[in-house]
Amino acid sequence: MATRQPMQIGVVGLGRMGADIARRLMRDGHSCVVFDLDPDTVTALEKEGATAASSPADLVGKLAPPRAVWVMLPAGQITGTAIDELASHLAAQDTVIDGGNSSYRDDIRRAADLARRGIHLIDCGTSGGVWGLERGYSLMIGGDADAVEPLRPIFLSISPGIDTKPRTEGRTGQPDPAEHGFLHCGPSGAGHFVKMVHNGIEYGMMASLAEGLNILHHADAGKDNAEGDAETAPMEQPEFYRYELDIAAIAEVWRRGSVVESWLLDLTAAALLRSADLEEFTGRVSDSGEGRWTSIAAIDEGVPAPVLTTALYSRFASRGLDDFAGKALSAMRKGFGGHDEKRQ
Amino acid sequence: MATRQPMQIGVVGLGRMGADIARRLMRDGHSCVVFDLDPDTVTALEKEGATAASSPADLVGKLAPPRAVWVMLPAGQITGTAIDELASHLAAQDTVIDGGNSSYRDDIRRAADLARRGIHLIDCGTSGGVWGLERGYSLMIGGDADAVEPLRPIFLSISPGIDTKPRTEGRTGQPDPAEHGFLHCGPSGAGHFVKMVHNGIEYGMMASLAEGLNILHHADAGKDNAEGDAETAPMEQPEFYRYELDIAAIAEVWRRGSVVESWLLDLTAAALLRSADLEEFTGRVSDSGEGRWTSIAAIDEGVPAPVLTTALYSRFASRGLDDFAGKALSAMRKGFGGHDEKRQ
Amino acid sequence: MATRQPMQIGVVGLGRMGADIARRLMRDGHSCVVFDLDPDTVTALEKEGATAASSPADLVGKLAPPRAVWVMLPAGQITGTAIDELASHLAAQDTVIDGGNSSYRDDIRRAADLARRGIHLIDCGTSGGVWGLERGYSLMIGGDADAVEPLRPIFLSISPGIDTKPRTEGRTGQPDPAEHGFLHCGPSGAGHFVKMVHNGIEYGMMASLAEGLNILHHADAGKDNAEGDAETAPMEQPEFYRYELDIAAIAEVWRRGSVVESWLLDLTAAALLRSADLEEFTGRVSDSGEGRWTSIAAIDEGVPAPVLTTALYSRFASRGLDDFAGKALSAMRKGFGGHDEKRQ
Amino acid sequence: MATRQPMQIGVVGLGRMGADIARRLMRDGHSCVVFDLDPDTVTALEKEGATAASSPADLVGKLAPPRAVWVMLPAGQITGTAIDELASHLAAQDTVIDGGNSSYRDDIRRAADLARRGIHLIDCGTSGGVWGLERGYSLMIGGDADAVEPLRPIFLSISPGIDTKPRTEGRTGQPDPAEHGFLHCGPSGAGHFVKMVHNGIEYGMMASLAEGLNILHHADAGKDNAEGDAETAPMEQPEFYRYELDIAAIAEVWRRGSVVESWLLDLTAAALLRSADLEEFTGRVSDSGEGRWTSIAAIDEGVPAPVLTTALYSRFASRGLDDFAGKALSAMRKGFGGHDEKRQ
């Protein structure tokens, strides 16, 4: 594990994550041939030592076989198209690493396709976001061991490295790859499956923090408590809800010694320090595929994931996608109780 | 059970439900002495045969002891004040029936207070909303049997009666009170406890219908499916979401023979017939005390009620009370992924 | 709508629902040719007036073109196989009605296949369970109008009929089909899509009732309240949880006049009457496809369905499918707090 | 903040957390007078340099006024009794710090009581579990500033200290107390209110991890997929669920560079390393008061906390407290569909 012999690798897709991955590789002495549809990003990386390619074909031509190409594109459909194009120039024994957020089901299908031509497809769930250059990326890898094993020096350079965290109690001797921050999870799709569940957990942890902060935010609800009417019960014990809490300071104090210590908490503390009211945000929360797929996987497997799915649904609701349901509820209330909807 | 001997009863609070209860009583030959802070409602009932009272004291004076007074006021605080005022004029052996939506905990406390002076307090959860005159009211009664038993003719007249529904399979012989639509549930508070849980169930059933209708409402989501980006995965199989459904007709068809047959469905079908888009509503859904108390009871008892509590929380969220949580989520997403919030 | 002209129809699958559908049809004067792998069920129906068939081919041969065959089989895979077999004997202009619980996605694919040979496939969500002979079935129909329209006499006979329920307020004049209990919901798959959501709602309504009853069941939790320890807080106000409630009577009283009036409540009241402790059941709750598919549809559409999905997950959990999650929680608690798991 | 002048303090309750707090204090040069009902724990601390007390009165006598006494007892009731006993020996200007997991409502009441005699009560939410000696404790403090401020050297010694974590981006200059790991959150009760919400979040984060790990655990569900029947749909795409994942390694790989980095994950990785199947646990998960109180606070405030409450309910369900609900569901299924419960 200690040897990090230099390799040559192609990188397709030079957005924030793709470019930073190339930088981590070059920093460790690997040579990168890079391509992106935006020539400016290619030029920028070239100045940092990369070899520029003008097209997928050019990139393939500049790599010595057996080639390895890391594809780092944002969405599933674009990734699929790019891999198809790239693969048309590759040969048997070459390897494509899909580092994006593809569905693991697509990986399984695509790997089987490429395998017919002797080309390996590795799916590599890549976590780390915009901080990866500094922190390194957590890598969850799926595919044939024959293809994964030779790329170990690459994974070693991209992943954070064992020194970024104390060893887990009970681990001794030669570190496992997982302790460096990369893991060959299983056959094709396994990497993105694990990354998918990682993101599902992320949704739940984020929602846990967000709900808790919201309870703190409303800890003064007893101060301006309306007196209630037939529609709304008044707060029964307003004397227990008269706190005005400094939420930014609370997030900060939890960062050290508490049970909820986490990177998400660190980021939250930083955001609240910038603006305690988070004014730059509206509260309409996006979601991408992994959170959805995680819930679908739970349903398919028949295992309960109420926290993860509830976290997902809260995002849908934050974008107003339950409006019709709310209207139906108000209509029923009017139907049986004659209740008019209250305007705020 | 068959004999419905006429009784005299006071009714305090002549809103929709109070007035209709008086009407059902008079329809069965009972004599009502009625009072409300709004003299117009008193006059209206007087024209229908009630004896008007000009004050709680006047009402008490016009009733022969041992008296029974049904208090039907909207919110807990008003009810408490009214019962205190009323009780100051009552004597030992008199009975107050709290027919409103008081917290069962308040009933327990108040009944103990009144008991010191020999006055009975009966808590009577009363379901039926604005339809009670026609359908009758489901009555859930708590308090001492000594006080409850003599009022049976009253409960018989207010409740729907056994003929409004086929008998439950297996029930034979002399009908139980429950089959008429009233039940002495237990000691003080038991009536409102059962009514509270009834409303908790109501929240869950309403949310079940509302969520299902919303899924039908969005069954055309594949028609205008955006192509997705790094933030949002495109719909993977839009071909499965291209239905434009007639939701009013669907609610109607379910009314006969389906498993979801229910009064709430009947009301929903009527509302959708008036306006398939439910345009008169905004989707901001109110809640009153019972839904909240039901969830608190579940937590106190240590039993899971995820469906009922989720239904409650969806109402809170429909009123924007999770905005800060949404902002925190967007802030975290920006923190780790550089994602800007999408404006719709 | 009034004319119920006699038609001829084949019925394949004579389980409880299939046989009862044939009975409802024959009761209205239609003639049925019936087939089932179990010859006894065929013989039984023959005695009631049906024409027996010894094979799908025989059934097809005994029907005059253009033929209509109702396929009523339990699970999706069996239905697919049976329709394929049947279709191999059918001709253009014939119609197959899939009345089972197939996935609407399968219907879309299968209808497109059969359409190439001019055969119509109608998907007909059929609700009513074991009570359909008596109550009639709620029918949710998908497919081409050309195929659906001629079968109207069939649907009229199978559905409950308008007289089984008061008309929805606002409906006047000639009744719609939906008021009889059948609805052409849209193109292929629309019927089973609507039936799927119906079942999703059913899960939520069932869970609402079940959770509420469980809260009532534990209303005596304050009686034997343990004193608590570092692991468990003692009940803070045990005086509020000392009711011993007659749950069978409560279910009965809600049947008349309450907001939760529903067929599910009727069935619950009957079950509780037989055994207040429901001793014949273990509490391990099955689920079939529709509840799962409903949640997946919500996720695909991007709309929140927290109540419906939570209801689904509770069923999974009731079968022990969250055991590993529970172990992980106990392991974490031991990790940070040194807490040993409590044995019951 | 830099000066950590030595103080004298009493410590009542020498369980794991109380003893370790005394040790951290003595390590920083403070002098501790200690008492516990178990004399062995007192003797043990005496050997480490503490002054032993034989009773609360003795402890108070050995402290110079104005006194400060840290009470560190497991459950609320015991804490209340101990503080009452202790306070009977204290004088005006003395301060009691309640470091346990009391309800913040109890703190508010108790602080008002003690204030009548001039005694200060500080509520101090203390997070850190069995690791506090090493990691320090996160301290969330409520009470009068007059009482809190003089104890700053004590809080500095107990809390982790700023060096245990990189500073939050944007924080410069003289560190805030929150950066050391303690925070005066507000008036009486505020400390335990914040600690309560902290634990609520903890429940949600734990459940997020647990649910995700369970999905990974069942990623092989397609291998032994039953074929389904009328009760259970067969897995539709078993080919997507054939992974046998090394969950201990996955927890490890997420520890570096991923978005779910957290102390809870670290503990989980350690537990899975000891036993990948977590065999020593049954999956019956305890809960203590804070998780419940957090949900009740959300309900009282009227803000949604579906993830936190769902996490709580999952614990209840893990202990079989939804059995009656499950039986009711099975009874309904039998009622409408004739379905018998499946024995596993």
Side-chain angles (χ1 to χ4, degrees):
Chain A
M1 196 69 67
T3 65
R4 305 199 177 204
Q5 76 204 72
M7 293 184 70
Q8 189 198 37
I9 187 165
V11 179
V12 172
L14 301 174
R16 179 70 182 260
M17 285 181 77
D20 282 350
I21 283 172
R23 288 185 184 107
R24 280 186 75 91
L25 289 167
M26 293 190 291
R27 209 161 68 181
D28 261 16
H30 302 290
S31 71
C32 293
V33 183
V34 301
F35 171 72
D36 192 287
L37 287 176
D38 175 357
D40 290 349
T41 62
V42 176
T43 306
L45 261 291
E46 193 179 20
K47 286 181 185 155
E48 300 181 38
T51 301
S54 58
S55 69
D58 184 37
L59 178 135
V60 170
K62 286 172 169 161
L63 291 166
R67 302 169 190 89
V69 186
W70 190 290
V71 178
M72 198 74 218
L73 292 166
Q77 285 182 321
I78 303 170
T79 299
T81 309
I83 293 178
D84 288 347
E85 157 77 358
L86 186 67
S88 71
H89 305 291
L90 293 175
Q93 304 311 319
D94 289 346
T95 297
V96 179
I97 305 113
D98 175 1
N101 280 327
S102 305
S103 158
Y104 78 98
R105 301 181 179 205
D106 288 341
D107 295 317
I108 293 175
R109 291 187 204 105
R110 196 171 288 133
D113 279 353
L114 295 180
R116 286 187 207 102
R117 299 173 40 215
I119 301 172
H120 300 288
L121 179 68
I122 290 176
D123 51 288
C124 182
T126 308
S127 183
V130 297
W131 295 82
L133 180 59
E134 179 183 323
R135 295 172 81 230
Y137 299 90
S138 176
L139 303 179
M140 296 145 256
I141 304 160
D144 294 339
D146 287 353
V148 172
E149 203 51 36
L151 296 173
R152 190 174 273 238
I154 297 296
F155 298 134
L156 264 174
S157 294
I158 297 175
S159 61
I162 189 166
D163 297 334
T164 54
K165 210 74 180 262
R167 290 191 87 172
T168 293
E169 192 189 336
R171 286 198 179 264
T172 54
Q174 185 71 6
D176 281 347
E179 297 186 77
H180 290 280
F182 66 95
L183 179 69
H184 183 201
C185 299
S188 199
H192 276 146
F193 186 91
V194 172
K195 173 58 161 57
M196 171 189 84
V197 175
H198 163 277
N199 282 33
I201 294 171
E202 172 193 308
Y203 278 40
M205 291 177 69
M206 289 172 70
S208 301
L209 282 164
E211 290 184 2
L213 296 176
N214 196 34
I215 295 171
L216 297 175
H217 185 72
H218 287 273
D220 63 349
K223 287 205 166 173
D224 59 345
N225 179 51
E227 299 196 358
D229 51 33
E231 302 302 288
T232 314
M235 185 173 263
E236 286 166 79
Q237 298 177 297
E239 66 273 22
F240 291 132
Y241 299 98
R242 288 183 175 148
Y243 297 117
E244 298 197 346
L245 301 170
D246 179 345
I247 298 177
I250 291 169
E252 183 65 37
V253 80
W254 287 345
R255 293 186 64 230
R256 291 178 181 82
S258 89
V259 177
V260 300
E261 272 196 43
S262 55
W263 190 47
L264 286 164
L265 176 64
D266 295 345
L267 297 168
T268 304
L272 288 165
L273 183 69
R274 281 192 297 275
S275 160
D277 287 335
L278 301 171
E279 287 156 6
E280 68 179 296
F281 303 102
T282 64
R284 298 175 68 86
V285 190
S286 292
D287 75 286
S288 51
E290 291 86 358
R292 300 184 180 200
W293 300 330
T294 300
S295 289
I296 291 174
I299 295 169
D300 280 348
E301 292 181 4
V303 303
V307 160
L308 305 191
T309 305
T310 297
L312 175 70
Y313 284 148
S314 289
R315 293 192 181 191
F316 294 167
S318 79
R319 306 200 302 263
L321 287 158
D322 58 353
D323 282 357
F324 189 77
K327 291 177 182 186
L329 291 173
S330 286
M332 284 182 238
R333 295 188 83 245
K334 180 152 193 178
F336 64 74
H339 308 294
D340 283 315
E341 252 190 358
K342 278 167 79 170
R343 308 296 153 165
Q344 198 172 21
Chain B
M1 192 72 64
T3 65
R4 306 198 176 205
Q5 75 202 77
M7 294 184 68
Q8 187 197 39
I9 187 166
V11 178
V12 172
L14 301 173
R16 179 72 182 259
M17 285 181 75
D20 282 351
I21 283 172
R23 288 186 184 106
R24 281 187 74 92
L25 288 167
M26 294 189 292
R27 209 161 69 180
D28 261 16
H30 303 291
S31 72
C32 293
V33 184
V34 301
F35 172 70
D36 192 287
L37 288 177
D38 175 359
D40 289 350
T41 62
V42 177
T43 307
L45 261 289
E46 192 178 21
K47 285 180 185 154
E48 299 182 38
T51 302
S54 59
S55 69
D58 184 39
L59 178 135
V60 171
K62 286 173 169 161
L63 291 167
R67 302 168 189 89
V69 187
W70 190 290
V71 178
M72 199 72 218
L73 293 167
Q77 284 183 323
I78 303 170
T79 298
T81 309
I83 292 178
D84 288 346
E85 157 78 358
L86 186 68
S88 70
H89 306 291
L90 293 175
Q93 303 313 321
D94 289 347
T95 298
V96 179
I97 305 113
D98 174 2
N101 279 327
S102 305
S103 158
Y104 78 96
R105 300 181 179 206
D106 289 340
D107 295 317
I108 294 175
R109 291 187 204 103
R110 195 171 289 134
D113 279 353
L114 294 179
R116 285 188 207 101
R117 298 174 39 215
I119 301 171
H120 299 289
L121 178 68
I122 289 176
D123 52 286
C124 182
T126 308
S127 182
V130 297
W131 295 83
L133 180 60
E134 177 183 326
R135 294 172 83 229
Y137 299 91
S138 176
L139 302 179
M140 298 147 256
I141 303 161
D144 294 340
D146 287 353
V148 172
E149 203 51 37
L151 296 173
R152 190 175 274 240
I154 297 296
F155 299 134
L156 265 173
S157 294
I158 297 174
S159 60
I162 189 166
D163 296 334
T164 54
K165 210 74 182 260
R167 288 190 89 172
T168 293
E169 191 189 336
R171 287 197 177 265
T172 54
Q174 184 72 4
D176 283 346
E179 296 186 78
H180 291 277
F182 67 95
L183 179 69
H184 182 200
C185 300
S188 196
H192 276 146
F193 186 91
V194 172
K195 173 60 159 57
M196 170 189 83
V197 175
H198 163 277
N199 283 33
I201 293 171
E202 171 193 308
Y203 278 40
M205 291 177 68
M206 289 172 70
S208 301
L209 282 164
E211 289 184 2
L213 296 176
N214 195 36
I215 296 171
L216 296 176
H217 184 70
H218 287 274
D220 64 349
K223 286 206 167 173
D224 59 345
N225 179 50
E227 298 195 359
D229 50 34
E231 302 302 288
T232 315
M235 185 172 263
E236 286 167 78
Q237 297 177 299
E239 67 272 23
F240 292 132
Y241 298 98
R242 288 185 176 147
Y243 297 117
E244 298 198 344
L245 302 170
D246 180 345
I247 298 178
I250 291 169
E252 184 64 38
V253 81
W254 287 345
R255 291 187 64 231
R256 292 177 182 83
S258 89
V259 176
V260 301
E261 273 196 41
S262 55
W263 190 47
L264 286 165
L265 177 65
D266 294 345
L267 297 168
T268 304
L272 288 165
L273 184 68
R274 282 193 295 276
S275 161
D277 286 335
L278 301 170
E279 286 156 7
E280 68 179 298
F281 303 102
T282 64
R284 299 177 66 88
V285 190
S286 293
D287 75 286
S288 51
E290 291 85 359
R292 299 185 182 201
W293 300 330
T294 301
S295 288
I296 291 174
I299 293 169
D300 280 348
E301 293 180 3
V303 304
V307 159
L308 305 191
T309 305
T310 297
L312 175 69
Y313 284 149
S314 290
R315 294 194 181 190
F316 294 167
S318 80
R319 307 201 300 265
L321 287 158
D322 58 352
D323 282 356
F324 189 77
K327 291 177 183 189
L329 291 174
S330 286
M332 284 181 237
R333 295 188 83 244
K334 181 152 192 179
F336 65 72
H339 308 294
D340 284 315
E341 253 189 357
K342 278 168 77 169
R343 309 297 153 165
Q344 200 173 21
Chain C
M1 194 71 68
T3 64
R4 307 198 175 204
Q5 77 205 73
M7 294 184 68
Q8 188 198 38
I9 187 167
V11 178
V12 172
L14 301 174
R16 179 71 183 259
M17 286 181 75
D20 282 350
I21 284 172
R23 289 185 183 105
R24 280 187 75 90
L25 288 167
M26 293 189 294
R27 208 161 69 181
D28 261 15
H30 302 291
S31 71
C32 292
V33 184
V34 301
F35 172 71
D36 192 287
L37 288 176
D38 174 359
D40 290 348
T41 63
V42 177
T43 307
L45 262 289
E46 192 179 20
K47 286 180 185 153
E48 299 181 38
T51 302
S54 58
S55 68
D58 183 38
L59 177 136
V60 171
K62 284 172 172 163
L63 291 166
R67 303 168 188 90
V69 187
W70 190 291
V71 178
M72 198 72 217
L73 293 167
Q77 284 182 322
I78 304 170
T79 299
T81 309
I83 292 178
D84 288 346
E85 157 77 358
L86 187 68
S88 70
H89 306 291
L90 294 175
Q93 304 313 321
D94 290 346
T95 297
V96 179
I97 304 112
D98 173 2
N101 279 328
S102 305
S103 159
Y104 78 98
R105 301 182 179 205
D106 288 342
D107 295 318
I108 293 175
R109 291 188 203 102
R110 195 171 289 133
D113 278 356
L114 295 180
R116 285 189 207 101
R117 297 173 42 215
I119 300 171
H120 299 289
L121 178 69
I122 290 176
D123 51 287
C124 182
T126 308
S127 182
V130 296
W131 294 82
L133 180 60
E134 177 182 327
R135 293 171 83 230
Y137 299 90
S138 176
L139 303 179
M140 298 146 257
I141 304 160
D144 293 340
D146 286 354
V148 172
E149 203 50 36
L151 296 173
R152 190 175 274 238
I154 297 297
F155 299 133
L156 265 174
S157 294
I158 298 174
S159 60
I162 189 164
D163 297 334
T164 53
K165 209 77 181 258
R167 289 191 88 172
T168 293
E169 191 189 334
R171 286 199 178 264
T172 55
Q174 184 72 4
D176 282 346
E179 296 186 79
H180 290 279
F182 67 95
L183 179 69
H184 183 199
C185 300
S188 195
H192 276 145
F193 187 93
V194 172
K195 173 60 159 58
M196 170 188 84
V197 175
H198 164 276
N199 283 32
I201 293 170
E202 171 193 308
Y203 278 39
M205 291 177 68
M206 289 171 71
S208 302
L209 282 164
E211 290 185 2
L213 297 176
N214 195 35
I215 295 171
L216 298 175
H217 184 71
H218 288 274
D220 63 350
K223 287 205 168 173
D224 59 345
N225 178 50
E227 299 196 359
D229 50 33
E231 302 303 287
T232 314
M235 185 173 262
E236 287 166 77
Q237 299 177 298
E239 67 272 24
F240 292 132
Y241 298 97
R242 287 184 176 147
Y243 297 117
E244 298 197 344
L245 301 170
D246 179 345
I247 298 177
I250 291 170
E252 184 63 38
V253 81
W254 287 344
R255 291 187 65 231
R256 292 177 181 82
S258 88
V259 177
V260 301
E261 273 196 40
S262 55
W263 189 48
L264 286 165
L265 176 65
D266 295 345
L267 297 169
T268 304
L272 288 164
L273 183 68
R274 280 192 297 275
S275 161
D277 286 335
L278 301 171
E279 286 156 6
E280 69 179 296
F281 303 102
T282 64
R284 298 176 66 88
V285 190
S286 292
D287 75 286
S288 51
E290 291 85 359
R292 300 185 180 201
W293 300 330
T294 300
S295 289
I296 291 173
I299 294 169
D300 279 348
E301 292 181 4
V303 304
V307 159
L308 305 190
T309 305
T310 297
L312 175 70
Y313 284 149
S314 289
R315 296 193 179 189
F316 294 167
S318 79
R319 306 201 300 266
L321 287 158
D322 58 352
D323 282 357
F324 188 77
K327 292 178 182 187
L329 291 173
S330 287
M332 285 182 238
R333 295 188 84 245
K334 180 151 193 179
F336 64 73
H339 308 294
D340 283 316
E341 253 189 356
K342 280 168 78 169
R343 308 296 154 167
Q344 199 172 21
Chain D
M1 194 71 67
T3 65
R4 306 199 176 204
Q5 75 203 74
M7 294 185 68
Q8 188 198 38
I9 187 165
V11 178
V12 172
L14 301 173
R16 179 71 183 259
M17 284 182 76
D20 282 350
I21 283 172
R23 288 185 184 106
R24 279 187 76 91
L25 288 167
M26 293 189 292
R27 208 162 70 180
D28 261 16
H30 302 290
S31 71
C32 293
V33 184
V34 301
F35 172 71
D36 193 286
L37 288 175
D38 175 359
D40 291 348
T41 61
V42 177
T43 306
L45 260 290
E46 192 178 20
K47 285 179 186 156
E48 300 182 37
T51 301
S54 58
S55 70
D58 183 37
L59 177 136
V60 170
K62 285 172 171 162
L63 291 166
R67 303 168 190 88
V69 186
W70 190 291
V71 179
M72 199 73 219
L73 293 167
Q77 285 182 321
I78 303 170
T79 298
T81 309
I83 292 179
D84 288 346
E85 156 78 356
L86 187 68
S88 70
H89 306 292
L90 293 175
Q93 304 312 319
D94 289 347
T95 297
V96 178
I97 304 113
D98 174 1
N101 280 327
S102 306
S103 159
Y104 78 97
R105 301 182 179 205
D106 289 341
D107 295 317
I108 293 176
R109 291 186 204 105
R110 195 170 289 134
D113 279 354
L114 295 180
R116 286 188 207 102
R117 298 172 41 214
I119 301 171
H120 299 288
L121 179 68
I122 289 176
D123 51 287
C124 182
T126 308
S127 182
V130 296
W131 295 82
L133 180 60
E134 176 185 326
R135 293 173 84 229
Y137 298 91
S138 177
L139 302 179
M140 296 146 258
I141 304 161
D144 294 340
D146 286 354
V148 172
E149 203 51 37
L151 295 172
R152 190 175 274 238
I154 298 297
F155 298 133
L156 265 174
S157 294
I158 297 174
S159 61
I162 189 167
D163 296 335
T164 53
K165 208 76 180 260
R167 290 191 88 172
T168 293
E169 191 190 338
R171 288 198 177 262
T172 54
Q174 185 70 6
D176 283 346
E179 296 185 78
H180 291 280
F182 66 95
L183 179 69
H184 182 201
C185 299
S188 196
H192 276 145
F193 186 91
V194 172
K195 174 58 159 55
M196 170 189 85
V197 175
H198 163 277
N199 283 33
I201 293 171
E202 172 193 307
Y203 278 39
M205 291 177 69
M206 289 171 71
S208 302
L209 282 164
E211 290 184 2
L213 296 176
N214 195 35
I215 296 171
L216 297 176
H217 185 71
H218 288 272
D220 63 350
K223 286 205 168 174
D224 59 345
N225 178 51
E227 299 197 359
D229 51 32
E231 301 303 288
T232 314
M235 186 173 263
E236 286 166 79
Q237 298 177 298
E239 66 271 25
F240 292 132
Y241 299 98
R242 288 184 175 148
Y243 298 117
E244 299 197 343
L245 300 171
D246 179 345
I247 298 178
I250 291 170
E252 183 64 39
V253 79
W254 287 344
R255 291 186 65 230
R256 292 177 181 82
S258 89
V259 177
V260 301
E261 273 196 41
S262 55
W263 190 47
L264 287 164
L265 176 65
D266 294 346
L267 297 168
T268 305
L272 289 164
L273 183 67
R274 281 192 296 275
S275 161
D277 286 335
L278 301 170
E279 287 156 6
E280 67 179 298
F281 303 101
T282 62
R284 298 176 67 88
V285 190
S286 294
D287 75 285
S288 51
E290 292 85 358
R292 299 185 181 200
W293 300 331
T294 300
S295 289
I296 291 174
I299 293 169
D300 280 347
E301 293 181 3
V303 303
V307 159
L308 305 190
T309 305
T310 298
L312 175 70
Y313 284 148
S314 289
R315 293 192 181 191
F316 294 167
S318 79
R319 306 201 300 264
L321 287 157
D322 58 352
D323 281 357
F324 189 76
K327 291 178 182 186
L329 292 173
S330 286
M332 285 182 236
R333 296 187 83 244
K334 180 150 193 180
F336 64 75
H339 308 294
D340 283 316
E341 253 190 356
K342 280 167 78 169
R343 310 294 153 167
Q344 201 173 19

